[in-house]
mmCIF file of all heavy atoms in Angstrom:
data_model
loop_
_atom_site.group_PDB
_atom_site.id
_atom_site.type_symbol
_atom_site.label_atom_id
_atom_site.label_comp_id
_atom_site.label_asym_id
_atom_site.label_seq_id
_atom_site.Cartn_x
_atom_site.Cartn_y
_atom_site.Cartn_z
ATOM 1 N N ALA A 1586 -2.243 7.381 -22.711
ATOM 2 C CA ALA A 1586 -2.993 7.623 -23.969
ATOM 3 C C ALA A 1586 -3.441 6.323 -24.619
ATOM 4 O O ALA A 1586 -2.664 5.400 -24.759
ATOM 5 C CB ALA A 1586 -2.061 8.347 -24.876
ATOM 6 N N GLY A 1587 -4.694 6.316 -24.997
ATOM 7 C CA GLY A 1587 -5.212 5.140 -25.708
ATOM 8 C C GLY A 1587 -5.555 3.953 -24.767
ATOM 9 O O GLY A 1587 -5.821 2.839 -25.249
ATOM 10 N N ARG A 1588 -5.493 4.184 -23.455
ATOM 11 C CA ARG A 1588 -5.775 3.081 -22.516
ATOM 12 C C ARG A 1588 -6.847 3.553 -21.463
ATOM 13 O O ARG A 1588 -6.996 4.758 -21.230
ATOM 14 C CB ARG A 1588 -4.499 2.793 -21.721
ATOM 15 C CG ARG A 1588 -3.283 2.487 -22.649
ATOM 16 C CD ARG A 1588 -1.999 2.455 -21.848
ATOM 17 N NE ARG A 1588 -1.901 1.241 -21.004
ATOM 18 C CZ ARG A 1588 -0.846 0.999 -20.230
ATOM 19 N NH1 ARG A 1588 0.112 1.864 -20.078
ATOM 20 N NH2 ARG A 1588 -0.836 -0.140 -19.490
ATOM 21 N N ARG A 1589 -7.521 2.574 -20.950
ATOM 22 C CA ARG A 1589 -8.431 2.823 -19.856
ATOM 23 C C ARG A 1589 -7.645 3.084 -18.547
ATOM 24 O O ARG A 1589 -6.535 2.469 -18.397
ATOM 25 C CB ARG A 1589 -9.355 1.615 -19.620
ATOM 26 C CG ARG A 1589 -10.304 1.411 -20.732
ATOM 27 C CD ARG A 1589 -11.550 2.265 -20.612
ATOM 28 N NE ARG A 1589 -12.600 1.873 -21.532
ATOM 29 C CZ ARG A 1589 -13.812 2.437 -21.492
ATOM 30 N NH1 ARG A 1589 -14.072 3.414 -20.603
ATOM 31 N NH2 ARG A 1589 -14.763 2.064 -22.343
ATOM 32 N N ILE A 1590 -8.152 3.924 -17.662
ATOM 33 C CA ILE A 1590 -7.519 4.151 -16.431
ATOM 34 C C ILE A 1590 -8.537 3.670 -15.343
ATOM 35 O O ILE A 1590 -9.678 4.272 -15.331
ATOM 36 C CB ILE A 1590 -7.198 5.649 -16.212
ATOM 37 C CG1 ILE A 1590 -6.278 6.146 -17.355
ATOM 38 C CG2 ILE A 1590 -6.469 5.844 -14.813
ATOM 39 C CD1 ILE A 1590 -6.182 7.605 -17.452
ATOM 40 N N VAL A 1591 -8.251 2.682 -14.632
ATOM 41 C CA VAL A 1591 -9.193 2.107 -13.724
ATOM 42 C C VAL A 1591 -8.860 2.427 -12.282
ATOM 43 O O VAL A 1591 -7.765 2.055 -11.793
ATOM 44 C CB VAL A 1591 -9.310 0.549 -13.916
ATOM 45 C CG1 VAL A 1591 -10.453 -0.036 -13.057
ATOM 46 C CG2 VAL A 1591 -9.567 0.245 -15.353
ATOM 47 N N LEU A 1592 -9.723 3.032 -11.512
ATOM 48 C CA LEU A 1592 -9.540 3.326 -10.086
ATOM 49 C C LEU A 1592 -10.278 2.246 -9.324
ATOM 50 O O LEU A 1592 -11.511 2.028 -9.517
ATOM 51 C CB LEU A 1592 -10.010 4.689 -9.732
ATOM 52 C CG LEU A 1592 -9.409 5.895 -10.504
ATOM 53 C CD1 LEU A 1592 -9.994 7.188 -9.935
ATOM 54 C CD2 LEU A 1592 -7.923 5.911 -10.427
ATOM 55 N N VAL A 1593 -9.592 1.539 -8.412
ATOM 56 C CA VAL A 1593 -10.143 0.462 -7.619
ATOM 57 C C VAL A 1593 -10.054 0.664 -6.121
ATOM 58 O O VAL A 1593 -8.951 0.722 -5.607
ATOM 59 C CB VAL A 1593 -9.497 -0.886 -8.013
ATOM 60 C CG1 VAL A 1593 -10.195 -2.049 -7.328
ATOM 61 C CG2 VAL A 1593 -9.491 -1.153 -9.501
ATOM 62 N N PRO A 1594 -11.178 0.886 -5.464
ATOM 63 C CA PRO A 1594 -11.039 1.123 -4.020
ATOM 64 C C PRO A 1594 -10.729 -0.172 -3.276
ATOM 65 O O PRO A 1594 -11.147 -1.273 -3.710
ATOM 66 C CB PRO A 1594 -12.448 1.653 -3.637
ATOM 67 C CG PRO A 1594 -13.381 1.069 -4.613
ATOM 68 C CD PRO A 1594 -12.548 1.011 -5.908
ATOM 69 N N SER A 1595 -10.005 -0.069 -2.156
ATOM 70 C CA SER A 1595 -9.684 -1.217 -1.357
ATOM 71 C C SER A 1595 -9.718 -0.934 0.107
ATOM 72 O O SER A 1595 -9.304 0.185 0.540
ATOM 73 C CB SER A 1595 -8.252 -1.755 -1.738
ATOM 74 O OG SER A 1595 -7.871 -2.811 -0.897
ATOM 75 N N LEU A 1596 -10.241 -1.888 0.911
ATOM 76 C CA LEU A 1596 -10.198 -1.776 2.321
ATOM 77 C C LEU A 1596 -8.986 -2.551 2.971
ATOM 78 O O LEU A 1596 -8.325 -1.964 3.857
ATOM 79 C CB LEU A 1596 -11.481 -2.293 2.965
ATOM 80 C CG LEU A 1596 -12.622 -1.365 2.996
ATOM 81 C CD1 LEU A 1596 -13.935 -2.074 3.232
ATOM 82 C CD2 LEU A 1596 -12.444 -0.271 4.059
ATOM 83 N N HIS A 1597 -8.727 -3.737 2.502
ATOM 84 C CA HIS A 1597 -7.565 -4.479 2.990
ATOM 85 C C HIS A 1597 -6.218 -4.052 2.431
ATOM 86 O O HIS A 1597 -5.183 -4.521 2.887
ATOM 87 C CB HIS A 1597 -7.834 -5.963 2.727
ATOM 88 C CG HIS A 1597 -9.023 -6.525 3.432
ATOM 89 N ND1 HIS A 1597 -10.287 -6.351 2.966
ATOM 90 C CD2 HIS A 1597 -9.129 -7.217 4.604
ATOM 91 C CE1 HIS A 1597 -11.129 -6.969 3.781
ATOM 92 N NE2 HIS A 1597 -10.468 -7.452 4.758
ATOM 93 N N GLY A 1598 -6.247 -3.183 1.448
ATOM 94 C CA GLY A 1598 -4.955 -2.659 0.903
ATOM 95 C C GLY A 1598 -4.336 -1.556 1.661
ATOM 96 O O GLY A 1598 -3.200 -1.169 1.394
ATOM 97 N N THR A 1599 -5.072 -0.936 2.596
ATOM 98 C CA THR A 1599 -4.525 0.166 3.394
ATOM 99 C C THR A 1599 -3.195 -0.211 4.051
ATOM 100 O O THR A 1599 -3.162 -1.331 4.611
ATOM 101 C CB THR A 1599 -5.531 0.602 4.482
ATOM 102 O OG1 THR A 1599 -6.801 0.930 3.813
ATOM 103 C CG2 THR A 1599 -5.056 1.803 5.241
ATOM 104 N N PRO A 1600 -2.123 0.563 3.962
ATOM 105 C CA PRO A 1600 -2.026 1.938 3.464
ATOM 106 C C PRO A 1600 -1.546 2.050 2.081
ATOM 107 O O PRO A 1600 -1.187 3.162 1.598
ATOM 108 C CB PRO A 1600 -1.046 2.574 4.442
ATOM 109 C CG PRO A 1600 -0.058 1.458 4.677
ATOM 110 C CD PRO A 1600 -0.878 0.154 4.707
ATOM 111 N N HIS A 1601 -1.423 0.893 1.332
ATOM 112 C CA HIS A 1601 -0.796 0.928 0.020
ATOM 113 C C HIS A 1601 -1.649 1.625 -1.074
ATOM 114 O O HIS A 1601 -2.842 1.472 -1.088
ATOM 115 C CB HIS A 1601 -0.525 -0.510 -0.433
ATOM 116 C CG HIS A 1601 0.399 -1.281 0.453
ATOM 117 N ND1 HIS A 1601 1.673 -0.902 0.703
ATOM 118 C CD2 HIS A 1601 0.174 -2.458 1.142
ATOM 119 C CE1 HIS A 1601 2.170 -1.804 1.537
ATOM 120 N NE2 HIS A 1601 1.309 -2.746 1.817
ATOM 121 N N VAL A 1602 -0.926 2.314 -1.931
ATOM 122 C CA VAL A 1602 -1.504 2.762 -3.185
ATOM 123 C C VAL A 1602 -0.768 2.014 -4.280
ATOM 124 O O VAL A 1602 0.440 2.153 -4.425
ATOM 125 C CB VAL A 1602 -1.364 4.286 -3.421
ATOM 126 C CG1 VAL A 1602 -1.937 4.693 -4.751
ATOM 127 C CG2 VAL A 1602 -1.998 5.074 -2.292
ATOM 128 N N VAL A 1603 -1.433 1.177 -5.006
ATOM 129 C CA VAL A 1603 -0.829 0.333 -6.006
ATOM 130 C C VAL A 1603 -1.099 0.920 -7.372
ATOM 131 O O VAL A 1603 -2.292 1.073 -7.760
ATOM 132 C CB VAL A 1603 -1.357 -1.148 -5.912
ATOM 133 C CG1 VAL A 1603 -0.678 -2.031 -6.963
ATOM 134 C CG2 VAL A 1603 -1.135 -1.690 -4.557
ATOM 135 N N VAL A 1604 -0.080 1.226 -8.113
ATOM 136 C CA VAL A 1604 -0.148 1.774 -9.473
ATOM 137 C C VAL A 1604 0.481 0.763 -10.453
ATOM 138 O O VAL A 1604 1.641 0.432 -10.345
ATOM 139 C CB VAL A 1604 0.511 3.123 -9.580
ATOM 140 C CG1 VAL A 1604 0.297 3.717 -10.979
ATOM 141 C CG2 VAL A 1604 0.015 4.070 -8.538
ATOM 142 N N ARG A 1605 -0.360 0.312 -11.396
ATOM 143 C CA ARG A 1605 0.193 -0.666 -12.378
ATOM 144 C C ARG A 1605 -0.081 -0.140 -13.768
ATOM 145 O O ARG A 1605 -1.220 0.176 -14.107
ATOM 146 C CB ARG A 1605 -0.545 -2.028 -12.214
ATOM 147 C CG ARG A 1605 -0.166 -2.744 -10.884
ATOM 148 C CD ARG A 1605 1.325 -2.997 -10.751
ATOM 149 N NE ARG A 1605 1.753 -3.920 -11.745
ATOM 150 C CZ ARG A 1605 1.829 -5.228 -11.585
ATOM 151 N NH1 ARG A 1605 1.446 -5.786 -10.414
ATOM 152 N NH2 ARG A 1605 2.302 -6.004 -12.535
ATOM 153 N N GLY A 1606 0.924 -0.186 -14.610
ATOM 154 C CA GLY A 1606 0.837 0.289 -16.020
ATOM 155 C C GLY A 1606 1.306 -0.737 -17.017
ATOM 156 O O GLY A 1606 1.841 -0.420 -18.047
ATOM 157 N N ASP A 1607 1.202 -2.036 -16.671
ATOM 158 C CA ASP A 1607 1.714 -3.125 -17.514
ATOM 159 C C ASP A 1607 1.169 -3.015 -18.940
ATOM 160 O O ASP A 1607 -0.002 -2.812 -19.223
ATOM 161 C CB ASP A 1607 1.317 -4.443 -16.894
ATOM 162 C CG ASP A 1607 1.645 -4.583 -15.448
ATOM 163 O OD1 ASP A 1607 1.198 -3.838 -14.632
ATOM 164 O OD2 ASP A 1607 2.409 -5.560 -15.133
ATOM 165 N N THR A 1608 2.108 -3.252 -19.903
ATOM 166 C CA THR A 1608 1.730 -3.245 -21.276
ATOM 167 C C THR A 1608 0.703 -4.277 -21.591
ATOM 168 O O THR A 1608 0.792 -5.429 -21.040
ATOM 169 C CB THR A 1608 2.988 -3.509 -22.142
ATOM 170 O OG1 THR A 1608 4.007 -2.504 -21.860
ATOM 171 C CG2 THR A 1608 2.687 -3.501 -23.622
ATOM 172 N N GLY A 1609 -0.263 -3.905 -22.384
ATOM 173 C CA GLY A 1609 -1.331 -4.818 -22.800
ATOM 174 C C GLY A 1609 -2.507 -4.892 -21.820
ATOM 175 O O GLY A 1609 -3.456 -5.620 -22.052
ATOM 176 N N PHE A 1610 -2.439 -4.124 -20.756
ATOM 177 C CA PHE A 1610 -3.521 -4.056 -19.752
ATOM 178 C C PHE A 1610 -3.889 -2.578 -19.511
ATOM 179 O O PHE A 1610 -3.066 -1.718 -19.729
ATOM 180 C CB PHE A 1610 -3.044 -4.647 -18.398
ATOM 181 C CG PHE A 1610 -2.814 -6.154 -18.391
ATOM 182 C CD1 PHE A 1610 -1.523 -6.647 -18.639
ATOM 183 C CD2 PHE A 1610 -3.842 -7.019 -18.214
ATOM 184 C CE1 PHE A 1610 -1.272 -8.017 -18.669
ATOM 185 C CE2 PHE A 1610 -3.684 -8.421 -18.226
ATOM 186 C CZ PHE A 1610 -2.370 -8.913 -18.426
ATOM 187 N N PRO A 1611 -5.078 -2.343 -19.024
ATOM 188 C CA PRO A 1611 -5.441 -0.977 -18.607
ATOM 189 C C PRO A 1611 -4.569 -0.522 -17.458
ATOM 190 O O PRO A 1611 -4.018 -1.409 -16.717
ATOM 191 C CB PRO A 1611 -6.892 -1.127 -18.144
ATOM 192 C CG PRO A 1611 -7.452 -2.346 -18.762
ATOM 193 C CD PRO A 1611 -6.220 -3.279 -18.863
ATOM 194 N N VAL A 1612 -4.401 0.776 -17.331
ATOM 195 C CA VAL A 1612 -3.713 1.325 -16.179
ATOM 196 C C VAL A 1612 -4.583 1.159 -14.933
ATOM 197 O O VAL A 1612 -5.811 1.475 -15.005
ATOM 198 C CB VAL A 1612 -3.340 2.812 -16.413
ATOM 199 C CG1 VAL A 1612 -2.747 3.366 -15.120
ATOM 200 C CG2 VAL A 1612 -2.412 2.943 -17.632
ATOM 201 N N VAL A 1613 -4.058 0.734 -13.855
ATOM 202 C CA VAL A 1613 -4.906 0.518 -12.618
ATOM 203 C C VAL A 1613 -4.245 1.268 -11.427
ATOM 204 O O VAL A 1613 -2.999 1.230 -11.241
ATOM 205 C CB VAL A 1613 -5.012 -0.977 -12.226
ATOM 206 C CG1 VAL A 1613 -5.531 -1.130 -10.825
ATOM 207 C CG2 VAL A 1613 -6.010 -1.664 -13.230
ATOM 208 N N VAL A 1614 -5.110 1.956 -10.726
ATOM 209 C CA VAL A 1614 -4.681 2.563 -9.462
ATOM 210 C C VAL A 1614 -5.587 1.979 -8.374
ATOM 211 O O VAL A 1614 -6.848 2.261 -8.382
ATOM 212 C CB VAL A 1614 -4.792 4.045 -9.454
ATOM 213 C CG1 VAL A 1614 -4.412 4.650 -8.119
ATOM 214 C CG2 VAL A 1614 -3.938 4.667 -10.553
ATOM 215 N N GLN A 1615 -5.079 1.145 -7.488
ATOM 216 C CA GLN A 1615 -5.857 0.628 -6.377
ATOM 217 C C GLN A 1615 -5.543 1.504 -5.167
ATOM 218 O O GLN A 1615 -4.346 1.562 -4.737
ATOM 219 C CB GLN A 1615 -5.518 -0.853 -6.078
ATOM 220 C CG GLN A 1615 -6.434 -1.465 -5.060
ATOM 221 C CD GLN A 1615 -6.073 -2.912 -4.740
ATOM 222 O OE1 GLN A 1615 -4.935 -3.300 -4.752
ATOM 223 N NE2 GLN A 1615 -7.113 -3.692 -4.470
ATOM 224 N N TYR A 1616 -6.554 2.057 -4.546
ATOM 225 C CA TYR A 1616 -6.313 3.025 -3.513
ATOM 226 C C TYR A 1616 -7.037 2.661 -2.222
ATOM 227 O O TYR A 1616 -8.096 1.938 -2.250
ATOM 228 C CB TYR A 1616 -6.740 4.435 -3.907
ATOM 229 C CG TYR A 1616 -8.234 4.541 -4.231
ATOM 230 C CD1 TYR A 1616 -9.145 4.924 -3.246
ATOM 231 C CD2 TYR A 1616 -8.800 4.220 -5.486
ATOM 232 C CE1 TYR A 1616 -10.517 5.006 -3.461
ATOM 233 C CE2 TYR A 1616 -10.126 4.310 -5.698
ATOM 234 C CZ TYR A 1616 -10.979 4.730 -4.742
ATOM 235 O OH TYR A 1616 -12.302 4.814 -4.951
ATOM 236 N N PRO A 1617 -6.524 3.026 -1.094
ATOM 237 C CA PRO A 1617 -7.168 2.706 0.245
ATOM 238 C C PRO A 1617 -8.466 3.510 0.508
ATOM 239 O O PRO A 1617 -8.360 4.720 0.342
ATOM 240 C CB PRO A 1617 -6.150 2.930 1.250
ATOM 241 C CG PRO A 1617 -5.218 3.961 0.639
ATOM 242 C CD PRO A 1617 -5.261 3.725 -0.856
ATOM 243 N N VAL A 1618 -9.507 2.880 0.860
ATOM 244 C CA VAL A 1618 -10.737 3.572 1.215
ATOM 245 C C VAL A 1618 -10.610 4.233 2.580
ATOM 246 O O VAL A 1618 -11.108 5.344 2.758
ATOM 247 C CB VAL A 1618 -11.934 2.592 1.251
ATOM 248 C CG1 VAL A 1618 -13.160 3.209 1.820
ATOM 249 C CG2 VAL A 1618 -12.239 2.148 -0.164
#
Side-chain angles (χ1 to χ4, degrees):
R1588 307 169 72 181
R1589 292 278 191 174
I1590 307 165
V1591 187
L1592 304 182
V1593 183
S1595 175
L1596 278 165
H1597 295 81
T1599 303
H1601 300 300
V1602 179
V1603 180
V1604 183
R1605 295 298 298 266
D1607 307 59
T1608 303
F1610 292 93
V1612 175
V1613 165
V1614 178
Q1615 187 183 35
Y1616 64 91
V1618 169

